[in-house]
């Protein structure tokens, strides 16, 4: 039955799709979205990438090796790259008819994701589910099957699981540990794990096509945090976002302090924009890092002035010193089973994450009003 189903849902023989032919195609098609039946429903796996020549072959191979027995296409939106990403993608598309390649001229993530979705649906209009992956994510072999099973079992509109950071080398291993522990990134289940159930957001996302189209896809204003913003709109529309720890995707975090600081500073700036647009989403988890940066900075400045003038204000240095001592003690306690080379770097990794995120939040983005919303529909 599965073999017959695959025969009925053959993909478009044109493997490399010019961008202009896709971007005029709306997310909503004239034919209704098919319902999931007894046979495995058709799915579109989608991703947007740029400068991914190192990991792209493995990422595509992981999708094509899925044990899912239903019809499947993999749509890749390729942004402007300075390496061989585009050539590798074209080669992979020529080698397997399930791979569809389309251009993403902006190179931006939300635009690329919407373009990939349109290309995938254009190649396989019968797609019922849309499953996101990433250019440097190696999906486990049962990922698509687990996603579809969870969508159908729970009735959810978006399901996802855990981002599992894996490091090579002392700094990257320390970053991986910090990203999967509450002391590093707070208590989000897709970072730290937890029981299955309704969630605010999930990693990557596997969507019911009908619901994805109904809310308009990714909002292209959000060049970062677009997945979080989409999940917020989904929940506010009455859709169900569902977390399951059975869906686990390995992720390679930043491997240097400079790259880590840049990543978290940008993330903090965009989180400030999220709170600006959606004030009700502000929480202690998001406000703690900027409050920490403000206190540490104030304590340092006042303390230095106090030392210079010989006044009691010098005691304010206890704020930054106390934070550094505290983060070191906590790091040594929670990371006591790490190998020594990783453990000694963990306090600096945690401090970089906290302070870069907090300073980015305080800086915010230079936004003059809310741009016109541009979504995939």
């Amino acid at each position: 039955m599965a073999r017959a189903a695959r025969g009925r849902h053959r993909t478009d023989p044109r493997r490399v799709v010019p961008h202009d032919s896709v971007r005029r195609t709306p997310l909503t098609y004239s034919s209704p979205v098919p319902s999931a039946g007894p046979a495995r429903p058709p799915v579109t796996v989608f991703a947007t990438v740029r400068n991914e020549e190192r990991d792209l072959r493995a990422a595509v191979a992981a999708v094509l090796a899925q044990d899912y027995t239903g019809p499947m296409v993999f749509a890749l939106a390729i942004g402007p790259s300075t390496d061989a990403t585009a050539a590798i993608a074209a080669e992979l598309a020529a080698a397997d008819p399930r791979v569809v390649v389309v251009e993403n001229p902006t190179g931006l993530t939300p635009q690329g994701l919407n373009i990939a979705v349109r290309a995938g649906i254009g190649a396989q209009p019968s797609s019922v589910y849309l499953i996101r992956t990433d250019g440097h994510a190696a999906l486990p072999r049962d990922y698509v099957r687990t996603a579809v099973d969870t969508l159908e079992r729970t009735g959810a509109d978006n399901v996802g699981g855990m981002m599992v950071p894996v490091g090579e080398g002392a700094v990257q291993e320390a970053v991986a540990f910090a990203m999967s522990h509450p002391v590093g990134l707070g208590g989000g289940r897709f970072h730290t794990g937890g029981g299955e159930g309704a969630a605010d957001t999930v990693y990557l996302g596997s969507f019911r096509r009908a619901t994805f189209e109904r809310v308009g896809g990714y909002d292209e204003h959000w060049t970062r945090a677009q997945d979080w913003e989409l999940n917020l709109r989904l929940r506010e529309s009455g859709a169900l976002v569902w977390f399951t720890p059975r869906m686990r995707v390995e992720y390679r975090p930043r491997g240097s302090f400079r790259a880590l600081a840049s990543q978290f500073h940008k993330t903090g700036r965009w989180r400030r924009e999220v709170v600006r647009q959606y004030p009700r989403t502000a929480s202690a988890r998001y406000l703690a890092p900027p409050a920490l940066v403000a206190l540490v900075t104030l304590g340092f400045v006042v303390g230095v002035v106090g030392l210079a003038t010989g006044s009691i204000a010098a005691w304010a240095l206890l704020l930054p010193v106390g934070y550094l001592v505290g983060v070191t003690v906590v790091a040594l306690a929670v990371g006591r089973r790490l190998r020594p080379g990783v453990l000694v770097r963990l306090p600096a990794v945690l401090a970089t994450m906290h302070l870069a995120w907090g300073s980015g939040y305080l800086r915010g983005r230079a936004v003059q009003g809310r741009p016109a919303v541009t979504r995939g529909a």
Side-chain angles (χ1 to χ4, degrees), residues 140-158:
R141 193 165 182 267
D142 65 347
Y143 187 85
V144 171
R145 174 169 55 84
T146 302
V148 173
D149 288 348
T150 305
L151 283 161
E152 298 191 332
R153 172 174 56 84
T154 63
D157 298 278
N158 180 24

Side-chain angles (χ1 to χ4, degrees), residues 211-224:
T211 307
F212 184 89
E213 291 179 344
R214 174 170 59 82
V215 300
Y218 293 94
D219 186 335
E220 295 177 2
H221 165 65
W222 300 94
T223 56
R224 297 181 81 92

Side-chain angles (χ1 to χ4, degrees), residues 6-268:
R6 281 194 293 272
R8 287 196 299 272
H9 298 283
R10 298 185 63 83
T11 56
D12 191 327
R14 296 171 301 165
R15 306 322 311 156
V16 181
V17 185
H19 169 66
D20 287 344
S21 68
V22 173
R23 74 181 191 181
R24 292 192 295 270
T25 306
L27 279 174
T28 303
Y29 286 76
S30 56
S31 58
V33 178
S35 301
R40 297 271 72 183
V43 302
T44 288
V45 181
F46 66 99
T48 184
V49 299
R50 62 182 297 186
N51 292 325
E52 288 285 0
E53 68 174 1
R54 186 189 67 177
D55 299 316
L56 184 58
R57 291 183 189 277
V60 173
V63 172
L64 300 181
Q66 292 293 301
D67 63 10
Y68 186 68
T69 56
M72 182 181 72
V73 296
F74 182 20
L76 270 173
I78 309 298
S81 301
T82 57
D83 60 11
T85 295
I88 293 171
E91 174 189 331
L92 295 170
D96 194 303
R98 292 172 293 176
V99 180
V100 177
V101 174
V102 63
E103 297 174 6
N104 172 23
T106 70
L108 299 175
T109 299
Q111 286 86 342
L113 293 172
N114 284 332
I115 289 169
V117 168
R118 289 193 290 264
I121 294 175
Q124 183 173 260
S126 57
S127 295
V128 176
Y129 299 120
L130 308 172
I131 298 176
R132 180 182 172 184
T133 185
D134 193 76
H136 49 264
L139 299 184
R141 193 165 182 267
D142 65 347
Y143 187 85
V144 171
R145 174 169 55 84
T146 302
V148 173
D149 288 348
T150 305
L151 283 161
E152 298 191 332
R153 172 174 56 84
T154 63
D157 298 278
N158 180 24
V159 304
M162 290 186 62
M163 179 176 69
V164 183
V166 177
E168 292 181 0
V171 173
Q172 194 175 52
E173 287 181 45
V175 173
F177 179 87
M179 293 187 71
S180 58
H181 195 282
V183 75
L185 282 180
R189 277 183 289 174
F190 73 92
H191 285 301
T192 61
E196 181 174 288
D200 289 342
T201 189
V202 291
Y203 181 51
L204 295 177
S206 299
F207 306 88
R208 291 185 184 276
R209 172 185 159 191
T211 307
F212 184 89
E213 291 179 344
R214 174 170 59 82
V215 300
Y218 293 94
D219 186 335
E220 295 177 2
H221 165 65
W222 300 94
T223 56
R224 297 181 81 92
Q226 66 279 150
D227 49 352
W228 189 95
E229 193 275 340
L230 173 57
N231 281 304
L232 176 64
R233 279 188 287 120
L234 284 170
R235 290 186 284 109
E236 291 189 338
S237 74
L240 176 61
V241 179
W242 191 265
F243 169 82
T244 174
R246 293 178 57 207
M247 297 173 67
R248 299 169 60 89
V249 182
E250 290 189 355
Y251 164 81
R252 296 286 178 180
R254 301 300 190 270
S256 70
F257 284 102
R258 181 175 182 176
L260 180 67
S262 176
Q263 177 193 17
F264 272 73
H265 185 78
K266 292 175 182 177
T267 302

Side-chain angles (χ1 to χ4, degrees), residues 291-318:
L292 169 69
V293 170
L295 288 173
V296 167
T297 302
L298 179 65
F300 179 79
V301 172
V302 173
V304 168
V305 171
L307 283 178
T309 60
S311 71
I312 195 173
W315 286 99
L317 286 172
L318 287 177

